[in-house]
Each structure stands twice: as structure tokens, then as C-alpha cells.
Amino acid sequence: MFFLEKLYKFGLFCHRRLSKPKKVPAFVISIGNITTGGCGKTQMALKIAQILKERKVCILSRGYKGRLENKGGIVTPNSKVEDVGDEPLMLSKMTNIPVMVGKNRYKSAMFAISNLGIDTIILDDGFQHWGLFRNLDILLINGGNPFGNYRLLPYGILREPLTGIERADIIVITKRKDLNVIEIIRRFNKTSPIFEADYKPSALLDNNGNTYPLSFLSGKRVLAISGIQHPQQFEDDLKDLGCNVEGIRFPDHHFYSSSEIEKIKHKAKEFDLVVSTLKDKEKLKGGDYLFLNVSFSISDETSFIKLLTPKEQ
């Protein structure tokens, strides 16, 4: 019955055994998760980039579904989302540090070190990436749905067995709801420090860069558009802000077709506002949309920052 799950697990084993992580002359911080999406990796990458702003930092991303995913390349705020992917473009627009995309993270890292003078690399979605050696592995776990049904893909949401938690140097519980998650983590990793991350809606943005207070949503009928891994959290956040919400959900990293855009515009006539996520912002240009901005904070941030310092310093 679970043949595909066993096949997936065997593939993981072979891939890891055959891979030889390559070291680069830079401090590499990996951010990843043990399940499929929805843990807040992008917000964590932004946070770490902000913390390490005095260093020469670069973010490496795969650029999932972008045209440059195989070839690789540098992301700028003027890049096309179809070329670099939604999250890398969002990262580039929200930071003033270099962002690079490409499956070959070692190649991207060496380019950044040689040509951009980079000394610190943030490896986005790197927990299962074996091609690049990292000095620090940060594992994010969604506290609201930590491990799904505890099964591997394709029958569950686990990217690898829970024993992989042992590799994490730092563990961050995001969107905390399940009080048993720490107990489960400690079964597999008894020593690494555990932090909690808090996500809170902070403002609304439009396509022209204007900002609106969250109170703007109160009492409104809102059509929520999202192409993310866990849309329920996004819709719940909107409801908590006092509006009536109806959601239209698309797959994670979805690129909206012209016909889908037209359907959204037609449906929007029944509502006061259309609100989407910042991740979807570059793919929903040209419409009268608002986008929910989210603030991100980490418990005991002082201790967290100390762990990001290279030991040799």
C-alpha cells in the first residue's frame, strides 16, 4: 500500500549517500524544514539577513519554477518573477543584499564569493540539500501542523523521517499551537536550542507601494487570493482582523494565467476588497489588490543572534 513512500525513502537514502557536500570559503547558514512548505522560511531568511547586515551576506535560493532554476543567475528588484520565482524576487525587493537562484548552490555560492565579496551565505530551503556544506543548520517546524500524519511523501508531508531532526543546530517553532511539539522534538534532538517565532499581520500594501492600516479591513467583505502552501492560516489572519472572508486557493508558487486573473476580477465585484499575500504580489500586478504584510519576531533574540556568529570569530 505504501510502496511509493518506501521508494521515496530509498531514494532519500541513496541521494544522501552519493552526495558529497562541498565546502566554500564563507560561513553558510541553512534554513529549512522537515515537511513541505508553510513554515516561514522566507521570513526567517529576511530576519537573519537583517541581523547580519554588517556582514557581506548573500541569499541562495533554488528559484523554484523560475526560468533560471537550472541555469542560475542573480536576482534584482527588476527581475521578472517568471525568471527567478516568487520568493527570491520578494527577498530581493525587501532587502538590499544579493539574492541568487539556481539548483547548483555550490556554483552560486562560489560566484557570490568570487564576484561579490560575500563572506556569509544564507541557504534558503537547505535542510535536505546535500551539495553544499553548511556551518549552521536552522530547522523550522510549523507548530500548528508539525508533522502531518507522520508519513513521508507522497502519503504525508514529511520530506524525510523525523530522525532528521537530530541534524539541526537550531530549532525554531513557528505558528505555535501544538503544545506537544517540543516533547516530540526532544525525542530526536535532546540538546539543540529551541526558539519560537511569532508572525503577526502588520499592514496592508497595494501595488503602488501605498500602506494601509489593518483597521481598513474591519467589517469589509474580503476575497482572499492565495498561492501558498497553507492558505488556511492566511485566511484565518484576515478573519481575526474583523472582516468576512471567502478564499480562492491556488497551488503553492502558482503563476496566475490571464484567464484566472479575469475570473478573480469578475468574482471581486461581489466583495469590498481583494487581499492576497506578499508572495503573490509580483504575480498579481495590474489589479486593484491589497497584500498582507507580516511582522516576524523570535523569542530570546539576543541568544539567537549569538548562535549566528562563526565560532572562529
Side-chain angles (χ1 to χ4, degrees):
M1 179 179 179
F2 296 108
F3 171 75
L4 291 177
E5 183 181 16
K6 292 180 180 179
L7 185 64
Y8 175 82
K9 186 175 183 179
F10 178 72
L12 284 176
F13 173 79
C14 292
H15 179 62
R16 185 173 182 185
R17 289 296 296 271
L18 294 173
S19 299
K20 296 181 179 179
K22 298 178 181 178
K23 289 188 176 183
V24 296
F27 189 74
V28 180
I29 301 172
S30 167
I31 301 169
N33 51 4
I34 204 166
T35 58
T36 55
C39 292
K41 294 186 300 294
T42 302
Q43 289 88 347
M44 177 60 78
L46 286 169
K47 183 67 174 181
I48 292 177
Q50 179 185 22
I51 291 171
L52 303 180
K53 60 184 178 181
E54 300 303 320
R55 298 191 210 169
K56 296 179 180 178
V57 181
C58 178
I59 297 175
L60 303 188
S61 174
R62 177 172 173 170
Y64 184 63
K65 286 190 175 183
R67 297 189 187 112
L68 292 179
E69 183 179 358
N70 292 316
K71 182 181 178 181
I74 299 177
V75 185
T76 72
N78 297 320
S79 294
K80 294 181 179 179
V81 66
E82 295 84 2
D83 290 334
V84 301
D86 48 19
E87 290 175 348
L89 184 55
M90 183 174 75
L91 286 166
S92 180
K93 285 180 177 289
M94 298 182 73
T95 67
N96 59 355
I97 66 173
V99 178
M100 296 195 63
V101 294
K103 284 183 179 179
N104 190 330
R105 312 290 181 89
Y106 174 76
K107 180 181 177 181
S108 295
M110 290 305 297
F111 179 91
I113 293 166
S114 301
N115 295 277
L116 305 176
I118 297 302
D119 60 27
T120 303
I121 289 170
I122 299 173
L123 183 61
D124 184 34
D125 198 8
F127 201 65
Q128 289 82 28
H129 182 78
W130 307 110
L132 183 64
F133 175 84
R134 51 278 202 149
N135 303 90
L136 197 64
D137 257 313
I138 301 176
L139 176 64
L140 307 188
I141 295 176
N142 182 344
N145 184 26
F147 313 114
N149 61 359
Y150 293 85
R151 303 206 72 92
L152 294 171
L153 294 167
Y155 297 104
I157 63 173
L158 288 177
R159 290 180 169 186
E160 61 175 296
L162 291 182
T163 51
I165 296 174
E166 182 183 11
R167 299 198 312 277
D169 299 302
I170 299 172
I171 298 166
V172 181
I173 301 172
T174 65
K175 307 172 186 178
R176 174 97 187 260
K177 289 182 181 178
D178 187 341
L179 298 179
N180 296 320
V181 65
I182 294 179
E183 178 184 342
I184 297 171
I185 290 169
R186 285 303 184 212
R187 294 177 194 171
F188 302 97
N189 187 319
K190 300 186 182 303
T191 59
S192 294
I194 297 175
F195 298 85
E196 294 180 23
D198 190 21
Y199 299 79
K200 290 183 178 179
S202 58
L204 296 162
L205 308 175
D206 65 16
N207 268 317
N208 297 316
N210 299 311
T211 302
Y212 301 84
L214 297 175
S215 58
F216 190 66
L217 296 177
S218 181
K220 300 287 199 311
R221 293 172 299 148
V222 171
L223 180 63
I225 308 297
S226 59
I228 56 179
Q229 185 69 33
H230 297 300
Q232 188 64 55
Q233 182 66 54
F234 167 61
E235 294 169 11
D236 287 346
D237 285 342
L238 293 177
K239 291 175 183 177
D240 290 342
L241 294 171
C243 55
N244 298 312
V245 178
E246 181 177 327
I248 298 181
R249 303 174 178 181
F250 294 88
D252 196 16
H253 301 287
H254 182 69
F255 285 92
Y256 300 92
S257 67
S258 56
S259 62
E260 289 169 338
I261 295 293
E262 287 304 314
K263 288 179 181 178
I264 291 171
K265 289 181 179 179
H266 180 75
K267 182 69 174 176
K269 295 176 182 178
E270 305 172 19
F271 296 84
D272 299 314
L273 298 170
V274 179
V275 182
S276 189
T277 73
L278 279 184
K279 182 174 171 177
D280 291 293
K281 187 173 185 291
E282 296 305 316
K283 298 176 292 187
L284 288 173
K285 283 190 172 182
D288 189 16
Y289 308 109
L290 292 177
F291 303 92
L292 187 66
N293 194 15
V294 178
S295 66
F296 178 85
S297 61
I298 300 173
S299 63
D300 195 3
E301 188 169 308
T302 301
S303 297
F304 181 80
I305 291 173
K306 289 180 181 179
L307 295 171
L308 301 181
T309 303
K311 293 181 180 179
E312 60 266 25
Q313 290 188 350

